[in-house]
């Protein structure tokens, strides 16, 4: 069963704007991860945040985690056309990972 | 360079036929996973293996089988019992146990179509 649910399902912005995607999950987790998928390709790991962390940065990415609300957000700042892809959150509880249905981000040049 | 290789990239299966998807990694990862992705949807776990000669069913294992005879290889067989096999199949690997705070490395996927 899928653990995470991303919101919105689709997001369209102009280049240079910020993009925010949200993820909600249902059970206790060890960590939460965000992945990117270009059309027809495999997933690429972007960033991992542990359950005892609240915020993490990596380049233009900022991830927050609120374990009390069982939610996370991914912020991509100063978006570029090359950021166009699907973004998935994934939660790890024990020995496997569960993925949400993803947010489809389109960045218009 | 280390990574995961999935082959073939495209695969066509006739009704009633078994097909095997290959997944090979040279990352020295202990754990390997198979996911299925349908259009516009997330990933669903088929099978996973934490160690050689051991594997567990995921959420949608019916109609699939796997083997893990070598650390580097985790082939997936889609059997004739899988009634709707057309999908994009992704293989991943990671370090389990104490490495549970590491991300997964994914292959580039195999697109299976029933003809």
């Amino acid at each position: 069963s899928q653990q995470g649910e991303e919101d919105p399902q689709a997001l369209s912005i102009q280049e240079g704007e910020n993009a925010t995607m949200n993820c909600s999950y249902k059970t206790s987790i060890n960590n939460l991860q965000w992945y990117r998928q270009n059309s027809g390709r495999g997933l690429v790991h972007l960033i991992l945040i542990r359950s005892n962390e609240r915020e993490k940065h990596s380049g233009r990415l900022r991830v927050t985690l609120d374990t009390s609300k069982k939610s996370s957000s991914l912020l991509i700042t100063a978006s570029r056309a090359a950021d166009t892809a699907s973004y998935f959150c994934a939660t790890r509880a024990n020995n496997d990972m569960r993925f949400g249905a993803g947010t489809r981000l389109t960045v218009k040049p | 360079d280390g990574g995961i290789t999935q082959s073939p990239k495209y695969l066509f299966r006739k009704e009633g036929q078994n097909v095997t998807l290959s997944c090979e990694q040279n990352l020295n990862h202990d754990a390997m996973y198979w996911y299925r992705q349908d259009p516009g949807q997330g990933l669903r776990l088929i099978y996973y293996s934490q160690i050689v000669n051991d594997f567990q069913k995921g959420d949608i294992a019916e109609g699939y089988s796997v083997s893990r005879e070598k650390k580097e290889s985790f082939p997936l067989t889609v059997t004739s019992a899988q009634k709707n096999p057309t999908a994009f199949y992704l293989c991943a690997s990671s370090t389990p146990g104490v490495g549970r705070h590491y991300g997964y490395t994914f292959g580039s996927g195999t697109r299976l179509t029933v003809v």
Side-chain angles (χ1 to χ4, degrees):
Chain A
S1 60
Q2 291 184 339
Q3 163 78 307
E5 292 185 6
E6 290 89 346
D7 172 60
Q9 291 185 345
L11 180 61
S12 182
I13 59 175
Q14 294 294 132
E15 206 165 27
E17 294 180 340
N18 295 343
T20 299
M21 289 160 267
N22 302 297
C23 171
S24 60
Y25 59 93
K26 298 174 183 174
T27 63
S28 296
I29 59 172
N30 298 124
N31 62 61
L32 186 143
Q33 305 179 27
W34 285 90
Y35 289 79
R36 166 195 169 121
Q37 183 182 35
N38 287 87
S39 183
R41 306 294 299 272
L43 277 69
V44 175
H45 180 254
L46 295 176
I47 193 166
L48 179 153
I49 185 165
R50 301 185 185 197
S51 58
N52 61 353
E53 297 176 313
R54 292 297 167 259
E55 187 171 315
K56 203 161 184 180
H57 297 255
S58 177
R60 293 185 296 113
L61 305 180
R62 173 178 169 257
V63 170
T64 62
L65 179 65
D66 187 336
T67 53
S68 66
K69 295 181 180 178
K70 291 187 168 58
S71 67
S72 173
S73 67
L74 171 67
L75 169 67
I76 302 175
T77 60
S79 63
R80 306 166 182 168
D83 293 329
T84 294
S86 292
Y87 292 82
F88 295 88
C89 71
T91 51
R92 185 155 194 173
N94 291 298
N95 292 324
D96 58 61
M97 198 120 66
R98 293 288 187 262
F99 290 81
T103 292
R104 174 69 190 168
L105 173 66
T106 302
V107 181
K108 300 176 184 177
Chain B
D1 289 336
I4 295 186
T5 301
Q6 288 188 243
S7 62
K9 191 176 176 74
Y10 299 97
L11 186 57
F12 298 91
R13 191 193 93 167
K14 295 181 180 179
E15 296 282 352
Q17 195 178 45
N18 291 356
V19 291
T20 297
L21 284 59
S22 171
C23 178
E24 304 275 336
Q25 55 99 358
N26 60 3
L27 299 164
N28 200 33
H29 285 168
D30 290 305
M32 297 186 74
Y33 310 82
W34 274 105
Y35 288 89
R36 168 180 171 143
Q37 186 178 32
D38 292 283
Q41 297 189 30
L43 280 64
R44 290 184 289 169
L45 182 65
I46 305 173
Y47 268 99
Y48 65 100
S49 168
Q50 298 287 305
I51 197 169
V52 174
N53 292 322
D54 187 45
F55 48 82
Q56 284 76 44
K57 293 181 179 180
D59 299 321
I60 56 166
E62 185 174 352
Y64 300 97
S65 66
V66 293
S67 63
R68 187 82 188 279
E69 298 176 1
K70 298 187 300 181
K71 187 175 184 177
E72 302 79 16
S73 178
F74 191 41
L76 173 73
T77 297
V78 184
T79 74
S80 57
Q82 172 49 241
K83 299 307 179 187
N84 184 23
T86 294
F88 189 51
Y89 291 86
L90 287 160
C91 179
S93 70
S94 76
T95 303
V98 295
R100 66 183 183 277
H101 289 304
Y102 288 88
Y104 283 15
T105 301
F106 280 84
S108 56
T110 292
R111 189 167 300 280
L112 174 63
T113 304
V114 174
V115 297

